[in-house]
Amino acid sequence: MRMLVLFVAAALAVAMPRLEVRLSDSTGTPIAGARLILEPLHRGAISNPEGRAVFHELPPGEYWVTVRMLGFVPETFVVQLRGDTLLQLVLKPEAIALPGVVVERERAA
């Protein structure tokens, strides 16, 4: 009986869908280092150098993926997960206003 329970648990874990997210900018360049949050499970990931992030073993349902990356507009996307899903996202650039800098120096005598 114990072996049957372990086998069923292993089969369910293998059957759980995964969500793969691929991030790029408008030119198709992958975005590495973006932070992704998967709600309502509160799972996080960071996109790799190819702009990919993967969430494994997710129960089917509706999820919200929030993406944040410096230089891009933070966005939230809704995903209906029924099986393995690939979500390709193009992030919009965002202008960042930096505070002014004053450079002062005394003249050597």
Side-chain angles (χ1 to χ4, degrees), residues 10-85:
L12 288 175
V14 171
M16 298 283 278
R18 70 184 195 122
L19 172 63
E20 180 179 341
V21 182
R22 292 185 187 165
L23 302 173
S24 64
D25 63 14
S26 59
T27 66
T29 303
I31 298 173
R35 293 181 301 151
L36 294 89
I37 303 294
L38 185 67
E39 297 293 351
L41 298 179
H42 309 293
R43 285 194 187 173
I46 305 281
S47 60
N48 69 13
E50 290 82 36
R52 295 179 56 229
V54 180
F55 296 95
H56 295 278
E57 298 182 6
L58 301 172
E62 184 175 82
Y63 295 95
W64 297 268
V65 179
T66 300
V67 181
R68 295 182 190 280
M69 178 65 182
L70 186 63
F72 293 92
V73 176
E75 293 193 64
T76 299
F77 303 89
V78 178
V79 179
Q80 292 291 333
L81 191 67
R82 292 185 179 84
D84 287 351
T85 302

